[in-house]
Amino acid sequence: LAKTTQPISMDSYEGQEVNITCSHNNIATNDYITWYQQFPSQGPRFIIQGYKTKVTNEVASLFIPADRKSSTLSLPRVSLSDTAVYYCLVVVGSGNTGKLIFGQGTTLQVKP
Amino acid sequence: DTGVSQNPRHKITKRGQNVTFRCDPISEHNRLYWYRQTLGQGPEFLTYFQNEAQLEKSRLLSDRFSAERPKGSFSTLEIQRTEQGDSAMYLCASSFGASGGLYEQYFGPGTRLTVT
């Protein structure tokens, strides 16, 4: 069964770039890798997803190497409001019947 | 559209009682997911519907758990004979997908279950 590994916590300062890596093996070969953000007492919120190489949207970038055994979420110029837990989400299996596996989460603390 | 809603938001029950939670997805979304999340952990996948068909069930979903999605709209998750280990946040999410594959999921606020 696939297993994901993320750092449990990270600290940063406002304005810095933060990179969070998730290691994942045995994931579905044809599905996206997705990252979510979660604040206390709320459901997770979608940040970004990608299949391979690099994807960028208005809030983050996602780097995925060719072997797809890891992915790195990059948050440029973080602010205090980016303090949250960040999860990677991968799929094991394929098609409509794949199982969804969240990482254990990385708690990011942004300091002033 | 107001997003994914879940009811109740909080439920306290005594061990051995049955509980039922409801999830109303975003109206045009054909996929619906249930997860369980305990403190300090990531969400754990429980089950997944595409329209009214339940396509996947985790081994975490024991015989005491059942989920339905009649008519492919709202969904209910029932836990029979609750145990203290069932205490957790139960999250529902929905997405739209025309074919196989993972799509952006929109999560509800969750139902927090406490079993005493």
Side-chain angles (χ1 to χ4, degrees):
Chain A
L1 193 64
K3 176 180 168 59
T4 61
T5 303
Q6 300 178 233
I8 292 175
S9 63
M10 296 182 71
D11 289 342
S12 182
Y13 290 94
E14 282 190 291
Q16 289 188 331
E17 178 184 76
V18 171
N19 296 307
I20 306 173
T21 296
C22 176
S23 299
H24 31 72
N25 56 4
N26 299 326
I27 65 170
T29 57
N30 59 347
D31 229 319
Y32 289 111
I33 297 163
T34 313
W35 283 79
Y36 285 82
Q37 175 192 55
Q38 188 175 29
F39 297 109
S41 301
Q42 294 184 22
R45 186 174 68 132
F46 174 89
I47 302 173
I48 194 168
Q49 70 180 22
Y51 180 71
K52 58 182 178 181
T53 63
K54 177 183 175 182
V55 178
T56 298
N57 63 18
E58 62 276 11
V59 298
S61 294
L62 181 60
F63 300 90
I64 302 171
D67 65 7
R68 289 174 35 94
K69 292 187 176 183
S70 66
S71 58
T72 299
L73 173 71
S74 181
L75 304 172
R77 299 178 299 283
V78 293
S79 64
L80 295 176
S81 62
D82 293 318
T83 294
V85 182
Y86 293 83
Y87 296 98
C88 60
L89 172 63
V90 298
V91 180
V92 176
S94 62
N96 287 336
T97 58
K99 286 187 173 64
L100 307 174
I101 306 291
F102 272 90
Q104 72 268 45
T106 298
T107 300
L108 172 65
Q109 180 69 51
V110 180
K111 302 174 183 178
Chain B
D1 185 78
T2 57
V4 178
S5 62
Q6 292 187 245
N7 289 288
R9 293 291 308 276
H10 304 274
K11 178 70 177 178
I12 300 174
T13 191
K14 293 185 177 180
R15 188 177 56 185
Q17 298 295 305
N18 299 344
V19 294
T20 300
F21 309 141
R22 176 178 171 126
C23 172
D24 286 274
I26 293 172
S27 58
E28 63 268 25
H29 284 181
N30 59 344
R31 297 181 174 186
L32 188 145
Y33 310 80
W34 284 99
Y35 297 87
R36 181 176 69 185
Q37 187 174 27
T38 54
L39 197 62
Q41 301 296 315
E44 296 175 289
F45 171 76
L46 293 178
T47 191
Y48 154 57
F49 291 85
Q50 177 144 323
N51 299 311
E52 66 275 10
Q54 189 173 19
L55 296 185
E56 190 68 57
K57 286 176 61 173
S58 164
R59 273 172 275 181
L60 291 172
L61 217 66
S62 73
D63 290 345
R64 297 185 297 107
F65 288 70
S66 63
E68 295 182 342
R69 193 183 182 198
K71 302 178 183 177
S73 56
F74 71 92
S75 177
T76 57
L77 177 68
E78 180 183 17
I79 309 174
Q80 296 181 328
R81 304 181 304 281
T82 52
E83 302 172 356
Q84 287 187 319
D86 297 330
S87 294
M89 177 74 83
Y90 289 84
L91 293 164
C92 174
S94 70
S95 71
F96 178 77
S99 63
L102 186 64
Y103 296 86
E104 176 181 349
Q105 296 177 49
Y106 294 78
F107 281 81
T111 294
R112 181 166 295 285
L113 173 66
T114 302
V115 182
T116 61

